[in-house]
Amino acid sequence: MKVSIENDVRYDVRQYTILDLPQNYTVSYLPNDFHYSDDAFGFSIQYSRQQSKVIAMQEWRNNSLMLQPKDFDKWNNAIKQILAEYKEQVVLQKK
């Protein structure tokens, strides 16, 4: 028997990761932005370059206080997509 998962609060969390480029290096590959959203939750990761920095902004959004068993498959599939995006890497190249 599957039981609902209860969240204490709805939330929207933003996290920024900043990579300072080493001197004499450039970015040769920047991953594509990724977005997932449905009625219960959402996730996005956006990459940008600003001067000698690479910035990755991640956002988790939870719109639901209760995840119902009927939604577990959808949740698990979304998590698989998100985990695949976490394997993406910024690639640097020496000038």
Side-chain angles (χ1 to χ4, degrees):
M1 180 175 149
K2 294 182 179 180
V3 178
S4 300
I5 297 173
E6 183 177 355
N7 294 304
D8 293 332
V9 294
R10 294 179 180 153
Y11 57 83
D12 190 351
V13 176
R14 283 192 183 146
Q15 175 182 323
Y16 293 86
T17 303
I18 301 172
L19 169 67
D20 290 316
L21 295 176
Q23 201 170 28
N24 297 322
Y25 280 83
T26 61
V27 175
S28 64
Y29 176 76
L30 195 63
N32 293 324
D33 293 347
F34 174 80
H35 303 279
Y36 178 89
S37 184
D38 64 27
D39 292 340
F41 60 94
F43 174 82
S44 68
I45 185 166
Q46 298 174 352
Y47 297 91
S48 63
R49 289 197 291 195
Q50 295 180 4
Q51 298 160 358
S52 63
K53 300 180 186 309
V54 173
I55 301 171
M57 191 277 292
Q58 297 178 62
E59 183 174 17
W60 281 94
R61 189 181 74 268
N62 176 22
N63 295 329
S64 175
L65 295 176
M66 189 78 66
L67 182 63
Q68 300 297 332
K70 67 179 179 59
D71 296 323
F72 287 176
D73 286 338
K74 184 168 52 171
W75 168 264
N76 289 336
N77 288 330
I79 296 300
K80 285 179 188 177
Q81 291 177 45
I82 292 166
L83 291 176
E85 290 302 314
Y86 277 148
K87 293 179 183 178
E88 286 288 315
Q89 299 179 16
V90 173
V91 178
L92 304 180
Q93 182 176 353
K94 197 162 189 162
K95 290 181 181 178

